[in-house]
Amino acid sequence: MKLKYYFLLVMALLLSAQSIAQAISDAQLEQFQRLPAAQQKALAKQYGIDLDDLKTNQRQQRPQHIEVVDTLPEGDAEQMPSVRDDSEATRKEKALQPFGYELFAGRSTTFAPVTEVPVPAEYILGPGDVLRVQLWGKENRKLELPISRDGTVSFPEHGPLALAGLSFNDAREHIRKLVAQRYIGVQSSVSMGELRSMRIFVLGEARKPGAYTVSSLSTISNALYVSGGIAKTGSLRRVLHKRNGELIGMLDLYQLLLQGDTSRDQRLQAGDVIFIPAVGDRVAIDGEVNRPAIYELLGETNLQQLVAMAGGFTAQAQPQITRITRTDRSYLRTMLTADLSLRSGQRTRLQAGD
């Protein structure tokens, strides 16, 4: 039996380096290495085999051990195994583009009238607006009533009528009652004519910060479009709306881009300031998601919320194997995995640079 085993070893040594990996197992090589050194050299010399090449080729065929973490404990990133920055992963992250900045990208303009938008009932009248009044019945007339700087209009056979500061709906009702009292048998219809323009300021991380003249119906998003959009160093999650030095509201453009929610896209007034702060923490997501990109975080964000921002998984995705790279405090890459089919994996908190 022993002679038969040696015969098999000798036959394996006669094979090429590629065949060695297929014919000799680790256990057989271990048995061969247990032979006395003199006997190993004698067999190798007899059949013209280099023992150093044999051992080197066998080591190259063995798979390297990679340590992987099954789940990502919160706040324990510095305790995970660290490896050097992977060049392929770095190239992938550099190829990804920040999400959302192309929406408002364009050339800045000094004036952008908004003429195609219906005037809402709550629109506040001011100097420069023009009201059109149609009278019919016993008397047919068309009146154009511009609001002067003192906030009044000159109504025929009545004198100055204060309308500035009233909503369009209230001003329309006020004129209807006035016509009913002053003109018997006459009815009225009130509509908006020309709208006033106003100056607002777009400051901070805008592509072209400065003062812009816009229509009185303009909102924050209109002003961002007029100013040429937000620079990639600016935040899409915290666009600040200020008036007389006080914060009026904050617009999260991700709600507009991902959900179509314009409830916080407030209407502007003369002298308002739109301030764009610097971009906050960002993370990148790539692979089998519908919208790979670099996303900005707002507050605590978990892995499931990031996947939702990216449009969800594709049909080829394997959420059980989600790899995460994170830069630790020593500026080394930490390789992590999370199982997104489990709630513990979905709740994995993200950090800047993930």
Side-chain angles (χ1 to χ4, degrees):
M1 186 69 182
K2 192 172 183 181
L3 292 174
K4 183 179 179 181
Y5 177 69
Y6 287 155
F7 176 75
L8 291 174
L9 283 176
V10 171
M11 292 300 295
L13 289 170
L14 292 173
L15 300 175
S16 64
Q18 183 176 2
S19 299
I20 287 172
Q22 299 174 355
I24 302 178
S25 66
D26 290 343
Q28 290 173 337
L29 181 62
E30 185 178 355
Q31 291 287 342
F32 177 75
Q33 290 174 345
R34 288 180 182 177
L35 294 174
Q39 194 170 358
Q40 292 182 20
K41 292 181 180 179
L43 289 172
K45 183 177 180 180
Q46 181 179 354
Y47 295 102
I49 301 297
D50 191 337
L51 286 178
D52 293 335
D53 291 342
L54 175 64
K55 295 176 181 179
T56 301
N57 291 332
Q58 188 67 16
R59 284 196 300 268
Q60 290 176 351
Q61 296 298 329
R62 292 178 181 174
Q64 297 181 354
H65 175 68
I66 300 175
E67 187 174 1
V68 182
V69 181
D70 291 333
T71 57
L72 175 60
E74 297 178 2
D76 292 338
E78 64 277 5
Q79 300 179 6
M80 300 301 174
S82 298
V83 296
R84 291 292 177 182
D85 190 1
D86 183 67
S87 58
E88 183 179 355
T90 303
R91 286 195 298 269
K92 279 189 175 182
E93 289 180 5
K94 288 181 179 179
L96 295 175
Q97 296 297 321
F99 171 73
Y101 288 90
E102 68 280 359
L103 176 65
F104 300 101
R107 296 182 179 179
S108 59
T109 59
T110 56
F111 180 69
V114 181
T115 57
E116 71 280 0
V117 179
V119 177
E122 64 274 10
Y123 173 76
I124 303 300
L125 299 176
D129 288 331
V130 177
L131 292 173
R132 293 176 179 173
V133 181
Q134 174 71 50
L135 304 178
W136 77 91
K138 290 186 176 180
E139 184 177 352
N140 296 322
R141 297 175 64 183
K142 290 184 180 180
L143 305 176
E144 287 204 0
L145 307 177
I147 300 179
S148 61
R149 292 185 177 181
D150 61 0
T152 63
V153 297
S154 180
F155 203 88
E157 303 176 8
H158 180 272
L161 180 65
L163 294 179
L166 297 179
S167 66
F168 175 56
N169 191 51
D170 291 340
R172 183 167 47 190
E173 185 65 20
H174 191 56
I175 293 175
R176 188 189 65 80
K177 291 180 180 180
L178 177 64
V179 170
Q181 293 174 359
R182 303 287 296 184
Y183 305 95
I184 299 175
V186 177
Q187 298 182 11
S188 63
S189 174
V190 181
S191 62
M192 286 295 304
E194 296 181 6
L195 300 177
R196 68 183 185 275
S197 60
M198 58 185 184
R199 176 164 293 186
I200 54 96
F201 299 89
V202 182
L203 304 175
E205 300 298 323
R207 290 179 180 269
K208 297 287 185 180
Y212 291 88
T213 302
V214 297
S215 166
S216 56
L217 285 177
S218 297
T219 62
I220 298 175
S221 60
N222 296 138
L224 292 176
Y225 180 79
V226 168
S227 62
I230 300 176
K232 290 188 177 181
T233 55
S235 173
L236 295 182
R237 308 299 305 269
R238 298 176 294 115
V239 180
L240 306 181
H241 178 198
K242 296 185 176 183
R243 183 176 297 156
N244 298 325
E246 297 183 0
L247 182 63
I248 301 299
M250 183 179 74
L251 176 62
D252 181 1
L253 288 174
Y254 275 28
Q255 293 182 352
L256 175 63
L257 297 172
L258 299 176
Q259 305 171 17
D261 184 2
T262 60
S263 59
R264 295 185 179 273
D265 191 11
Q266 298 175 337
R267 203 172 301 279
L268 302 175
Q269 294 186 17
D272 283 1
V273 174
I274 299 172
F275 183 79
I276 305 167
V279 66
D281 294 341
R282 284 173 168 172
V283 296
I285 182 169
D286 198 4
E288 297 300 330
V289 290
N290 290 308
R291 194 168 43 243
I294 300 173
Y295 293 88
E296 182 182 356
L297 303 181
L298 183 63
E300 291 186 356
T301 305
N302 59 41
L303 197 53
Q304 181 65 20
Q305 291 171 331
L306 176 63
V307 172
M309 290 183 195
F313 295 114
T314 65
Q316 293 77 28
Q318 291 183 341
Q320 297 86 352
I321 307 175
T322 302
R323 296 185 177 88
I324 305 171
T325 60
R326 176 171 295 173
T327 304
D328 62 14
R329 296 178 180 178
S330 300
Y331 301 99
L332 299 176
R333 286 283 186 181
T334 302
M335 306 298 295
L336 312 165
T337 62
D339 186 352
L340 281 178
S341 64
L342 302 177
R343 287 192 176 183
S344 59
Q346 296 172 1
R347 293 175 180 174
T348 299
R349 291 184 180 178
L350 299 173
Q351 297 182 12
D354 282 1

